[in-house]
């Protein structure tokens, strides 16, 4: 196991509402699967300040209209439940990379 | 306390408007008048919804969650609005067109506590039984009661 925890950037329009919901679900899921990660939440407008040295993965409930070099997973299914398992699985794969 | 987010004065199940803009004007003015939201809230809603729409298609119900930057929020609140007509809204994430007459205006002020309620609510709207009850209710008192009992229960489970 690598010592270095992955960094996840949870993104929504305000950085406090749906990104919190998604962060909670994701972190619960990772912990249940014996995984861990560091994370921060931010609003989508601040994304240009980030690059791939800052985070390994973006999990977003909004469109991400910037090229940051960080892989993006669209997290809307974690809010509505429709297709949530696939999203969690995709996140897990990125964290295990 | 989670339940302080709901208020009998912030429930309107018969909003008579033609489109989302009129809805924002109507609910926004009411929330400002009742000192829950601050001046700038309405234009905040409009701008926000244009760039980052908030429609969500759950398995058994479409809803929209209009919300803005916390600087426009006076007291934290959730305003439950049902429109008589089904309105066009756009879906969160991809902006795809959808329609709904169920709106939850989220007045989030405290970034550490209130999103927890939002998480509980999103779980509730994935639950068929809750959604059926939510859709059937036509009085403000019943709606307040549903919200208070549902989220009280969820909080107890969590503790």
């Amino acid at each position: 196991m690598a010592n270095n925890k992955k960094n996840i950037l949870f993104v929504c329009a305000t950085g406090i509402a749906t990104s919190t919901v998604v962060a909670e679900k994701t972190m619960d899921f990772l912990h249940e699967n014996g995984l861990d990660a560091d994370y921060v939440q931010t609003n989508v407008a601040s994304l240009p300040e980030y690059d791939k040295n800052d985070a390994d993965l973006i999990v977003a409930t909004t469109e991400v209209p910037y090229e940051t070099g960080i892989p993006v997973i669209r997290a809307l299914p974690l809010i509505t439940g429709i297709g949530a398992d696939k999203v969690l699985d995709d996140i897990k794969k990125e964290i295990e990379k | 306390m989670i339940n302080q987010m709901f208020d009998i004065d912030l429930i309107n199940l018969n909003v008579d408007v033609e489109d989302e803009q009129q809805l924002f004007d109507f609910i926004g003015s009411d929330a400002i008048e009742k000192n829950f939201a601050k001046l700038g809230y309405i234009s905040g809603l409009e701008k926000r919804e244009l760039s980052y729409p908030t429609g969500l298609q759950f398995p058994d119900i479409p809803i929209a969650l209009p919300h803005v930057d916390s600087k426009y929020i006076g007291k934290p609140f959730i305003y439950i609005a049902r429109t008589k007509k089904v309105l066009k809204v756009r879906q969160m994430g991809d902006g795809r067109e959808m329609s709904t007459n169920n709106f939850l205006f989220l007045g989030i002020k405290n970034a550490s506590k209130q999103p927890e309620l939002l998480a509980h609510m999103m779980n509730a709207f994935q639950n068929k039984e809750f959604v059926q009850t939510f859709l059937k209710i036509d009085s403000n008192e019943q709606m307040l009661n549903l919200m208070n009992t549902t989220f009280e229960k969820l909080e107890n489970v969590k503790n």
Side-chain angles (χ1 to χ4, degrees), chain B:
Chain B
M1 260 306 276
I2 255 175
N3 292 345
Q4 287 170 357
M5 297 283 283
F6 300 105
D7 191 303
I8 194 76
D9 290 332
L10 302 182
I11 298 174
N12 187 332
L13 305 178
N14 281 299
V15 185
D16 196 5
V17 293
E18 298 296 324
D19 58 32
E20 207 178 28
Q21 168 121 32
Q22 285 183 9
L23 177 68
F24 289 172
D25 286 349
F26 182 82
I27 299 295
S29 310
D30 198 37
I32 292 169
E33 207 169 289
K34 289 170 178 160
N35 286 321
F36 283 90
K38 296 178 185 168
L39 224 57
Y41 175 65
I42 298 173
S43 60
L45 282 174
E46 284 162 4
K47 272 185 236 156
R48 160 67 208 257
E49 202 69 26
L50 273 181
S51 327
Y52 304 112
T54 63
L56 290 167
Q57 182 64 57
F58 287 87
D60 300 297
I61 188 175
I63 61 175
L65 307 171
H67 58 285
V68 296
D69 196 277
S70 54
K71 69 182 173 203
Y72 297 117
I73 305 305
K75 280 184 276 182
F77 67 90
I78 293 178
Y79 199 129
I80 302 170
R82 184 184 292 157
T83 53
K84 287 186 183 178
K85 295 193 180 79
V86 172
L87 306 184
K88 277 190 181 132
V89 301
R90 291 193 176 273
Q91 177 164 270
M92 194 183 288
D94 60 9
R96 194 172 56 84
E97 196 169 276
M98 53 177 273
S99 46
T100 186
N101 62 343
N102 303 294
F103 295 82
L104 300 172
F105 289 79
L106 307 176
I108 294 177
K109 195 162 177 67
N110 179 331
S112 68
K113 290 212 182 100
Q114 286 131 23
E116 204 181 317
L117 172 59
L118 183 57
H120 290 325
M121 294 187 77
M122 298 303 96
N123 286 337
F125 280 101
Q126 292 176 26
N127 178 303
K128 194 172 194 143
E129 208 180 313
F130 172 82
V131 169
Q132 279 170 349
T133 313
F134 179 87
L135 289 173
K136 250 184 257 162
I137 281 175
D138 55 11
S139 88
N140 297 358
E141 289 76 15
Q142 284 174 358
M143 184 58 84
L144 183 65
N145 190 35
L146 172 70
M147 292 296 152
N148 283 341
T149 53
T150 305
F151 298 111
E152 198 175 59
K153 248 188 274 165
L154 279 171
E155 198 183 30
N156 290 341
V157 167
K158 215 178 173 225
N159 294 337

Side-chain angles (χ1 to χ4, degrees), chain A residues 24-37 39:
Chain A
E24 274 197 23
K25 293 210 170 174
T26 302
M27 297 313 294
D28 281 352
F29 168 81
L30 290 179
H31 293 154
E32 279 164 19
N33 283 274
L35 298 164
D36 202 5
Y39 73 93

